[in-house]
């Protein structure tokens, strides 16, 4: 199996349709039988529950899902998720192939706009977990853009956590 996964043009078209906020909020991708090309399996307007039902129990899939959620302040927002569905019963070959497909899809679809979600069981995709993940990402994005969020050792600090300051030295 090659680590180079092609992304079919239909994958890009479906993503653009989702981003345009027209008629769909979900695109589910699968690999072809040779595990060398990512193709659209389904696109449509699915509820969260329908999305969970559309993911096969024992086979990996990738999905783009436009998740509606409310911020802590009650503002309604949407965040586009890139979901890697890698159920535990999937074969190692399929898991590896879908890992490569995830990277190829992210790179092809401008992954900077996508919030990655990795899942091995349905509980990982519970609405409250996805919404919490999206709220955290929105908060971190907002604080880094608007309030000078600082990072140290790869961790962002939110205003609620307060600024990270160096220990002060007191003169004698």
């Amino acid at each position: 199996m090659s680590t180079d996964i092609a992304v079919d043009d239909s994958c890009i078209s479906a993503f653009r349709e989702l981003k345009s906020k027209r008629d769909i909020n979900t695109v589910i991708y699968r690999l072809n039988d040779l595990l060398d090309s990512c193709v659209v399996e389904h696109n449509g307007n699915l509820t969260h529950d329908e999305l969970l039902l559309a993911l096969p129990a024992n086979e990996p899939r990738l999905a783009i899902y436009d998740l509606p959620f409310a911020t802590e302040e009650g503002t309604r927002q949407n965040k586009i998720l890139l979901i890697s569905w890698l159920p535990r019963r999937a074969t190692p070959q399929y898991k590896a192939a879908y890992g490569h497909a995830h990277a190829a899809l992210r790179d092809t679809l401008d992954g900077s706009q996508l919030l990655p979600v990795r899942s091995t069981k349905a509980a990982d995709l519970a609405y409250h977990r996805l919404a919490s993940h999206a709220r955290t990402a929105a908060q971190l994005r907002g604080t880094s853009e608007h309030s000078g969020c600082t990072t140290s050792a790869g961790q962002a600090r939110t205003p609620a956590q307060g600024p990270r300051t160096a220990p002060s030295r007191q003169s004698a």
Side-chain angles (χ1 to χ4, degrees):
M1 175 187 64
S2 170
T3 59
D4 293 329
I5 304 288
V7 176
D8 190 80
D9 288 342
S10 65
C11 297
I12 299 166
S13 298
F15 177 67
R16 286 184 182 150
E17 185 179 353
L18 181 141
K19 274 187 23 178
S20 71
K21 305 282 186 202
R22 292 198 180 146
D23 296 324
I24 67 170
N25 69 350
T26 308
V27 182
I28 299 174
Y29 302 98
R30 67 170 178 80
L31 291 178
N32 66 0
D33 292 339
L34 298 175
L35 302 180
D36 66 356
S37 181
C38 188
V39 297
V40 174
E41 179 176 70
H42 173 82
N43 64 347
N45 193 16
L46 301 180
T47 66
H48 176 261
D49 290 338
E50 290 169 334
L51 168 66
L52 296 180
L53 290 172
L55 297 173
N58 299 322
E59 295 177 28
R61 290 294 186 272
L62 299 169
I64 302 282
Y65 183 64
D66 192 2
L67 176 76
F69 67 98
T71 65
E72 290 181 10
E73 297 80 26
T75 306
R76 295 180 81 46
Q77 291 189 357
N78 284 52
K79 188 71 178 164
I80 299 175
L81 308 178
L82 173 54
I83 299 170
S84 292
W85 171 244
L86 301 168
R88 291 181 181 160
R89 288 187 240 159
T91 67
Q93 178 185 16
Y94 272 76
K95 287 180 182 181
Y98 274 87
H100 294 299
H102 177 270
L105 198 58
R106 181 194 64 227
D107 293 346
T108 302
L109 301 179
D110 185 16
S112 64
Q113 302 173 29
L114 303 171
L115 181 60
V117 175
R118 295 185 62 80
S119 57
T120 59
K121 57 187 182 291
D124 296 337
L125 297 176
Y127 178 81
H128 71 278
R129 285 189 177 189
L130 295 178
S132 176
H133 188 52
R135 273 192 292 276
T136 300
Q139 183 181 26
L140 291 176
R141 181 174 178 234
T143 57
S144 66
E145 289 176 356
H146 301 297
S147 63
C149 178
T150 60
T151 59
S152 176
Q155 282 191 311
R157 304 206 36 96
T158 65
Q161 294 171 310
R164 182 176 297 246
T165 58
S168 63
R169 293 185 181 176
Q170 295 183 1
S171 55

